[in-house]
Amino acid sequence: MIDYHLHTPRCCHAQGSPREYLAEAELKGLTEIGFSDHFPLGMLGYTPSNQVTMNPEELDLYIRDIKSLKNNSNDVKIKLGIEIDYIPGTEDKVRSLLGQYNFDYVIGSIHFLGDWDFTHPGHADAYQKLNIDKIYREYFDLLGKLCHSKLFDIVGHVDVVKKFGYRPENGLEHYWQEIVQIFKETGMCFELNTAGREAPVGDFYPDRRLLELSCAAGIPVTLGSDAHSPEQVGRYFPEAIELLKSAGYRELTVFENRVKSAVAI
Ligand code: ZN
Ligand code: FE
Ligand code: FE
Ligand code: ZN
């Protein structure tokens, strides 16, 4: 089992040292982990009201931390990843910045609709004042753009817009059909992210239905806990693996220097 979505305290909203995350991975019998902390939004010229990423001057330190952990780990393979916000208009900046670093993989995620951090519990009251169908439409339009930007290897928490339990009246089937088609066209991999189980929605990202459709379409998948503290490493993974198998998946995607390969589950 692999966990490709781990944070570090450098993003200011996670606890525990990378070494402690590794110790938990060893305890849970994981064979490979990847750190993917939040890329500094400041480097993209974006400053949200809450600090949700590392500071620009910490990026080099983060890379140094993970590389040194890599050199000191025998049993568990360690990959250097990063989670970058997709913000329309920042594509060229992201492309040139990514050219300066050697990540094993890049997760592209959406946490902002305009200036609204819709994944932040402190800003979740806004859902009650807004049209939920419009929020979903806006979110999935952005997700399509994220895929078409070709900047990222993995789509992070595909349907995180459901985090606080608000769902569109007419269901999500047409969004699933649409996004699987876009994954296919753009060659994207996505993650099964188990963090949603502990959010108000109480479910993994994405819904089972999307896993079935994407498996049938041959879309590669990987797995992540989105751990923001060591004990969250590998959370709910036995259940996640069962879910992936029941949706038809037989392998997980891994990355090295942004080249993908597969491991059996
Ligand atoms: Zn985070
Ligand atoms: Fe995220
Ligand atoms: Fe994350
Ligand atoms: Zn996340």
Side-chain angles (χ1 to χ4, degrees):
M1 280 193 291
I2 63 160
D3 189 342
Y4 259 31
H5 199 145
L6 306 179
H7 288 275
T8 82
R10 295 202 181 275
C11 69
C12 298
H13 60 270
Q15 293 94 45
S17 68
R19 190 165 296 281
E20 292 173 281
Y21 285 64
L22 171 61
E24 184 72 17
E26 284 168 349
L27 202 70
K28 289 195 171 131
L30 304 189
T31 50
E32 180 167 338
I33 58 173
F35 288 85
S36 54
D37 207 2
H38 298 283
F39 186 86
L41 274 169
M43 286 173 93
L44 306 181
Y46 195 82
T47 42
S49 58
N50 296 78
Q51 179 159 12
V52 287
T53 69
M54 63 180 105
N55 287 313
E57 58 274 20
E58 287 196 285
L59 183 56
D60 288 333
L61 303 173
Y62 163 72
I63 293 171
R64 189 202 59 194
D65 292 347
I66 305 309
K67 283 191 173 158
S68 91
L69 192 67
K70 202 173 186 165
N71 296 333
N72 289 303
S73 172
N74 304 315
D75 302 335
V76 182
K77 246 192 217 177
I78 296 180
K79 296 291 170 64
L80 173 66
I82 195 87
E83 179 179 18
I84 307 188
D85 280 272
Y86 174 68
I87 294 168
T90 62
E91 291 88 343
D92 291 344
K93 234 173 217 168
V94 171
R95 189 171 296 107
S96 81
L97 286 164
L98 282 176
Q100 299 168 34
Y101 298 95
N102 292 312
F103 294 112
D104 287 311
Y105 61 91
V106 179
I107 300 179
S109 294
I110 298 172
H111 305 99
F112 295 93
L113 293 174
D115 288 332
W116 178 35
D117 182 350
F118 66 92
T119 66
H120 197 291
H123 305 300
D125 52 344
Y127 283 93
Q128 286 173 16
K129 294 173 221 135
L130 295 165
N131 179 318
I132 301 302
D133 290 289
K134 272 196 191 147
I135 295 171
Y136 273 74
R137 186 65 268 164
E138 199 182 325
Y139 175 81
F140 278 98
D141 282 345
L142 262 187
L143 200 64
K145 286 187 189 158
L146 180 159
C147 296
H148 283 288
S149 76
K150 304 271 183 96
L151 291 168
F152 312 104
D153 304 302
I154 302 167
V155 179
H157 39 66
V158 175
D159 59 358
V160 71
V161 66
K162 73 181 179 191
K163 179 172 181 177
F164 296 100
Y166 297 90
R167 295 192 190 251
E169 272 179 32
N170 296 323
L172 285 151
E173 182 67 20
H174 65 291
Y175 290 115
W176 301 149
Q177 301 276 354
E178 179 184 298
I179 206 66
V180 165
Q181 201 46 47
I182 294 175
F183 285 171
K184 201 176 172 114
E185 266 171 54
T186 55
M188 290 300 298
C189 172
F190 70 100
E191 61 168 6
L192 175 58
N193 180 314
T194 59
R197 179 53 55 81
E198 284 162 31
V201 71
D203 199 6
F204 299 159
Y205 309 116
D207 277 12
R208 177 196 180 88
R209 176 69 182 146
L210 181 56
L211 293 173
E212 292 168 353
L213 289 172
S214 55
C215 183
I219 313 294
V221 72
T222 189
L223 179 61
S225 66
D226 217 337
H228 284 72
S229 62
E231 76 281 0
Q232 293 175 343
V233 174
R235 56 181 154 178
Y236 309 108
F237 273 16
E239 186 189 338
I241 295 288
E242 279 320 301
L243 175 62
L244 285 167
K245 283 184 178 166
S246 73
Y249 278 104
R250 294 294 175 267
E251 49 188 37
L252 289 173
T253 306
V254 290
F255 289 84
E256 184 154 1
N257 289 320
R258 307 199 63 186
V259 176
K260 57 172 173 292
S261 59
V263 294
I265 51 173

